[in-house]
Amino acid sequence: MSALSKVASLEEYLNPVLVKEVRQALRGKQFKGAFGFTIVISLIVAIWVVLNNADSSAWQPVGPDFLTGVWSCLTIAVIGFIPMAAFNAMGAEFEENTYDMLVLSHMRPRHIMLGKLLAAGVQAMLYFSVFGFFVVFAFLLGGVDLTIVLVGLPVLAIVSLALSSVALGLSTLARKRTARVGLMVVLAAALVGSVMGTIAMQAAATQTGFDIALPEVQAGLSSLLIAALAFGGLFFVIGVSRLAHEEENRSTGLRLFGFTLVLVGLGWAEWMYSHLGGLEFLVAVPTMAIIVATVLSIFFVSEREGLGRRVETTLPNNKALRLFLVPWLPGGARGALWLVGANVTILGFVFWRLGALGALGSTGLSGLTVPEALEALTTVVSYSLIYTLLPSALFSNRSRELKRSTLVRIMILASFVLGLLVPSIVGFLLDWSTLAYFQHYGNPFWVFIQVVDGDINAKPVWLFAGFALALQLPRIVRSVTEVFRASGRV
Amino acid sequence: MTTTERTDHALCVKNVTKRFGDFTAVDRVSFDVFPGQVCGFIGPNGAGKTTTMRIASTLDMPDEGEVFVCGSSVLVDPRAVRRQLGFMPDAYGAYPDTTVEEYLDFFARAYSLRGKARKKALDHVTDFTGLAPLGGKLIDGLSKGMRQRLCLAKTLLHDPGFLILDEPAAGLDPRARVELRELVRALADMGKGVLISSHILSELSSLVDSISVIESGRIQGAGTVEEILNQLRPHMRVYLRCLAETDLVERALLELPGVSGVHHEKSGLAFDFDGDQQAIAKLVAKLVADGLSPIEFAPESVDLEDVFLSLTEGVVQ
């Protein structure tokens, strides 16, 4: 077999959804229209920039202006059009009644998501390949820093893929047309914001230049890439989870990815600390990690309690392995265990890293001392447990109704809002100024600041978190018992 | 429970219950389909047909009970079920801007068919369904009948052992219905089990080997048409007209074994007769021998519509 035919034979192993989507896109009006429109606009912009500068009496390199113009068009295409097309492509599977047929084939949800994502990537590549000529021309016009192009293009490609992944994941959240329209509006707003932000960053970098060797630039780029990969990855996993049948295990993948995000966040905090110095990264990033884990756990703790008939049959027969698997398996109480595990991991990391500095060390964050930082983070963890575990314990979903899960989620959000507002309203009615001005334990932001300043005792919050955890214990015990009693693999 | 049970069945539905909130869509439903058999699944709208079919095709889960397809459990091993199953839903979709060939090629790839195996499968299903000359045509331009054929072709790509066809004849013209019927019969002759639902009972009656009648989520009767008729009407209903006096004939009939419920109808007599073909022959011979000169002896013919109307009450859930 010749090398060429070997390469051609690889086509057999391409993701079927990728092949189908690219075929459809290349024949469809949407891609053709957007592609043609973008190229025509780019040409107009390019010609306008050149002609505009040709009139100048004093010649200046027009490369930066030219690059900014065509780059803006490329950004609109790969960050605006392509993610929106990906959203519609996934939605079409539900609207055209083709999704069931896909599920019944040998394709798994991750193959479907990956195929759609790769198809978005191929379409983006088509745009990049055409815009390559414009970029080369901009470089020939002079004044363009090659580093910007070499760094900017891959970053743009990654952001485009990440946003396409977000669009695909978002598209799986609603199958009814009305809900999809709402999601489309949200996505459109996010894409417009992303396009404007990206164009502004690129324009600033092109006009002023940037030095990739600077640690601040590296930190900024790494932050952007980590955020893109985290969001893209998260929505990819959400999409895979939503495409799975509701009786199948929709939770474990998300829990694993959520925990991975937490670990990546901690690793990133460590890298930023060692790269840039400044202990604030060891406080701020773990705080963000706690918030991310808490937001994800809203979905986990509100899941209905039963393992489900199909999940039961996938459990290993080894009891020790089952015990290890408990926090990763579907079910609200097991979601509570996951959150506790994630928070313990984050706190453990912070205690280990900051504890090594000694009790009197300074974190460098507005003069925050290590003990104050540890106390503040413990308080954040406590609020995380209070807001999620208390409502889910009171309104847990033991029925098979999905509406019950929605109720738990609403109650979690309501507990935050009510905790914030009710004491303030009472304070306002009783003319108690501190309460009225949100200076109470129901306001986690105020408590956090007070703890950092050393003006308040955080122990009541910790005790309340312990109470929320205690309320969960019967559920947790039942959920562990269920895993041990499940029939397992047959 | 084991992952493979009832390997002699194409489909085995055992006490399946499915609830949506407080509403029980399917209530302890049980029936079987064997390889090479076409089973008609009939019932009024909202009876639970599609829900049962979706459960059997792994798209929904039963709250109680179990379903086996070609020996594999939909609960325990849905992927093994999907390998053996071809499901043609009532509302199937087609991708826009896609040709017949591309559509089938996509699903062949989705069923993990590679290289020569994929080409062979594509050639086979397009020949079988008569779609070969339409390979380059866009799906959007196909007639309803051709789209049904396309969906059937897609369903057959991975050579499933059991087929579920949900209202495949809906919206087809008479010719297309006859052609579809022939295709389904040919599939059963290949040894595939087929569960088919349809509202056009006259079409089903000439196609099915057995039926399962469902109403309000419950099976009202299951088996061959003959078996169900025997359950419903243990006595054959016969219309008799003779040249002899009707009263004379009536007295003679009442003396014969197996005859009951004799009454006047039109210009003759109708009666219930309990007996097999041999007994009928003896009865006619006796009437002739007695000089009653029978000129019309017509056992009442009962078709699928009669069975359906007898078993169901028109209850809508």
Side-chain angles (χ1 to χ4, degrees):
Chain A
M1 189 186 276
S2 70
L4 197 63
S5 57
K6 272 183 185 170
V7 171
S9 68
L10 290 178
E11 180 262 351
E12 286 291 331
Y13 299 95
L14 286 177
N15 185 309
V17 175
L18 164 66
V19 176
K20 190 259 301 177
E21 288 289 329
V22 172
R23 276 176 179 166
Q24 262 187 294
L26 294 183
R27 193 175 283 134
K29 290 174 188 163
Q30 193 179 1
F31 179 76
K32 280 181 185 170
F35 195 69
F37 176 77
T38 311
I39 290 173
V40 168
I41 294 293
S42 303
L43 276 172
I44 292 170
V45 168
I47 292 166
W48 182 79
V49 168
V50 173
L51 291 179
N52 201 35
N53 281 276
D55 289 342
S56 314
S57 52
W59 168 255
Q60 285 185 327
V62 295
D65 289 343
F66 184 90
L67 187 64
T68 301
V70 294
W71 196 290
S72 301
C73 295
L74 178 63
T75 303
I76 291 168
V78 298
I79 290 187
F81 294 160
I82 287 178
M84 191 52 87
F87 179 88
N88 290 331
M90 182 60 85
E93 300 289 354
F94 305 125
E95 288 180 8
E96 305 279 347
N97 294 312
T98 47
Y99 175 65
D100 282 348
M101 297 199 294
L102 273 185
V103 169
L104 289 178
S105 72
H106 294 179
M107 309 270 316
R108 297 194 181 189
R110 67 171 182 274
H111 293 138
I112 298 170
M113 278 292 287
L114 188 63
K116 301 258 180 199
L117 185 60
L118 289 175
V122 169
Q123 290 172 53
M125 285 300 291
L126 288 174
Y127 279 103
F128 278 111
S129 59
V130 169
F131 276 84
F133 296 107
F134 287 106
V135 172
V136 170
F137 192 57
F139 191 66
L140 292 176
L141 285 173
V144 173
D145 182 0
L146 189 60
T147 318
I148 292 172
V149 177
L150 292 179
V151 174
L153 283 177
V155 169
L156 192 61
I158 289 169
V159 172
S160 171
L161 262 187
L163 285 173
S164 295
S165 183
V166 170
L168 287 169
L170 209 57
S171 189
T172 61
L173 293 180
R175 300 189 183 184
K176 288 183 181 164
R177 187 176 280 265
T178 45
R180 296 188 56 74
V181 170
L183 283 178
M184 193 186 272
V185 171
V186 171
L187 177 67
L191 293 180
V192 167
S194 303
V195 166
M196 290 170 70
T198 310
I199 289 174
M201 276 198 290
Q202 189 278 331
T206 306
Q207 300 298 334
T208 60
F210 81 138
D211 185 357
I212 190 110
L214 287 174
E216 289 78 10
V217 172
Q218 290 176 4
L221 270 178
S222 69
S223 305
L224 179 69
L225 290 177
I226 285 176
L229 292 175
F231 266 100
L234 179 62
F235 275 86
F236 185 89
V237 179
I238 287 173
V240 170
S241 154
R242 294 289 302 177
L243 290 181
H245 193 277
E246 73 182 58
E247 287 286 346
E248 288 179 15
N249 188 346
R250 287 174 146 190
S251 198
T252 298
L254 258 178
R255 292 181 190 211
L256 284 170
F257 189 82
F259 200 78
T260 307
L261 270 187
V262 167
L263 295 180
V264 168
L266 298 180
W268 183 48
E270 178 66 28
W271 182 80
M272 295 284 268
Y273 168 60
S274 59
H275 204 64
L276 294 176
L279 283 167
E280 59 266 35
F281 295 112
L282 294 178
V283 179
V285 178
T287 304
M288 280 164 53
I290 294 168
I291 293 168
V292 168
T294 307
V295 170
L296 285 175
S297 74
I298 292 174
F299 297 92
F300 302 153
V301 298
S302 56
E303 286 173 0
R304 61 189 183 204
E305 289 303 335
L307 274 173
R309 298 178 78 182
R310 211 169 261 175
V311 176
E312 271 190 30
T313 58
T314 62
L315 291 179
N317 292 323
N318 184 306
K319 300 287 181 191
L321 202 52
R322 282 193 186 192
L323 184 66
F324 170 76
L325 285 176
V326 168
W328 313 101
L329 292 171
R334 287 180 285 272
L337 266 182
W338 180 90
L339 178 64
V340 171
N343 277 332
V344 165
T345 305
I346 296 167
L347 268 189
F349 169 81
V350 175
F351 270 77
W352 168 61
R353 288 304 283 122
L354 291 184
L357 297 172
L360 297 174
S362 168
T363 60
L365 190 70
S366 307
L368 182 68
T369 63
V370 168
E372 285 166 351
L374 295 177
E375 196 175 338
L377 275 168
T378 309
T379 307
V380 175
V381 165
S382 300
Y383 275 108
S384 158
L385 298 179
I386 291 166
Y387 286 132
T388 50
L389 302 194
L390 201 60
S392 64
L394 295 175
F395 302 96
S396 65
N397 186 3
R398 284 181 218 166
S399 69
R400 295 183 61 79
E401 289 180 34
L402 292 173
K403 282 179 189 167
R404 188 82 177 179
S405 295
T406 310
L407 174 72
V408 177
R409 285 166 201 164
I410 290 170
M411 292 314 296
I412 288 171
L413 295 175
S415 68
F416 173 74
V417 176
L418 292 176
L420 204 63
L421 290 181
V422 170
S424 298
I425 293 169
V426 171
F428 179 75
L429 292 174
L430 299 178
D431 201 20
W432 193 347
S433 61
T434 50
L435 280 186
Y437 288 106
F438 296 96
Q439 294 170 4
H440 53 75
Y441 281 102
N443 181 357
F445 308 106
W446 177 78
V447 173
F448 184 80
I449 292 166
Q450 297 304 307
V451 170
V452 166
D453 290 344
D455 294 339
I456 197 174
N457 186 355
K459 286 193 177 63
V461 181
W462 301 355
L463 281 173
F464 200 48
F467 170 68
L469 194 56
L471 273 184
Q472 283 282 343
L473 276 179
R475 285 178 79 204
I476 290 173
V477 170
R478 272 199 302 272
S479 75
V480 175
T481 312
E482 186 195 10
V483 171
F484 278 101
R485 285 184 182 164
S487 57
R489 281 188 190 137
V490 287
Chain B
M1 184 171 55
T2 60
T3 52
T4 51
E5 277 185 11
R6 308 256 176 178
T7 47
D8 56 330
H9 288 60
L11 174 72
C12 174
V13 180
K14 295 199 312 192
N15 293 317
V16 164
T17 297
K18 177 71 181 176
R19 299 182 197 89
F20 296 104
D22 297 331
F23 172 68
T24 303
V26 175
D27 191 4
R28 286 165 288 160
V29 162
S30 296
F31 63 93
D32 303 310
V33 182
F34 293 92
Q37 190 183 56
V38 180
C39 176
F41 197 36
I42 57 179
N45 288 333
K49 297 190 296 291
T50 299
T51 303
T52 307
M53 287 178 150
R54 284 181 65 84
I55 289 171
S57 57
T58 73
L59 290 171
D60 278 331
M61 282 284 288
D63 293 320
E64 290 162 28
E66 176 63 292
V67 179
F68 294 94
V69 173
C70 299
S72 298
S73 159
V74 299
L75 282 177
V76 179
D77 199 354
R79 292 190 206 292
V81 170
R82 288 168 191 172
R83 281 194 289 275
Q84 290 293 331
L85 175 86
F87 179 49
M88 185 171 163
D90 59 341
Y92 70 94
Y95 295 108
D97 302 312
T98 307
T99 65
V100 167
E101 196 178 349
E102 287 169 354
Y103 181 82
L104 292 174
D105 180 70
F106 164 62
F107 278 104
R109 287 168 186 265
Y111 279 109
S112 307
L113 294 169
R114 307 258 182 262
K116 286 177 185 168
R118 189 170 79 238
K119 188 172 183 327
K120 193 177 165 189
L122 288 171
D123 289 345
H124 173 68
V125 297
T126 49
D127 284 346
F128 181 75
T129 53
L131 287 169
L134 302 175
K137 195 166 181 181
L138 283 173
I139 296 173
D140 303 337
L142 293 181
S143 67
K144 171 85 178 168
M146 283 299 149
R147 279 175 166 236
Q148 290 290 77
R149 280 169 178 259
L150 177 64
C151 192
L152 182 63
K154 184 235 38 138
T155 308
L156 297 173
L157 273 168
H158 60 301
D159 193 22
F162 176 63
L163 294 165
I164 296 178
L165 312 178
D166 194 2
E167 299 284 351
L172 296 188
D173 62 40
R175 176 176 290 278
R177 287 215 298 266
V178 170
E179 288 170 354
L180 183 76
R181 194 172 68 203
E182 285 169 0
L183 289 176
V184 173
R185 195 64 253 175
L187 289 167
D189 292 342
M190 290 176 195
K192 298 179 192 302
V194 182
L195 179 68
I196 181 169
S197 77
S198 178
H199 283 120
I200 307 163
L201 299 181
S202 56
E203 290 294 324
L204 276 186
S205 59
S206 55
L207 175 66
V208 298
D209 303 303
S210 67
I211 56 167
S212 293
V213 182
I214 186 170
E215 186 177 43
S216 302
R218 291 185 180 179
I219 291 289
Q220 306 295 330
T224 64
V225 176
E226 207 169 89
E227 283 169 356
I228 292 177
L229 280 178
N230 286 338
Q231 287 168 17
L232 287 175
R233 298 180 183 180
H235 306 293
M236 183 190 301
R237 192 108 188 117
V238 180
Y239 175 73
L240 174 69
R241 194 156 67 90
C242 296
L243 290 176
E245 284 283 323
T246 309
D247 291 344
L248 197 65
V249 177
E250 185 177 359
R251 279 199 295 278
L253 277 175
L254 288 171
E255 289 171 7
L256 292 173
V259 174
S260 61
V262 182
H263 65 275
H264 290 257
E265 192 174 298
K266 297 179 194 167
S267 55
L269 293 165
F271 61 93
D272 292 329
F273 182 69
D274 189 9
D276 57 11
Q277 304 281 335
Q278 291 290 333
I280 291 173
K282 281 182 185 172
L283 176 78
V284 174
K286 175 74 175 151
L287 292 171
V288 172
D290 289 351
L292 299 172
S293 306
I295 54 170
E296 194 175 347
F297 187 92
E300 190 183 339
S301 65
V302 180
D303 60 16
L304 212 50
E305 283 184 11
D306 297 310
V307 173
F308 179 71
L309 292 172
S310 302
L311 287 172
T312 60
E313 296 167 354
V315 177
V316 178
Q317 288 196 98

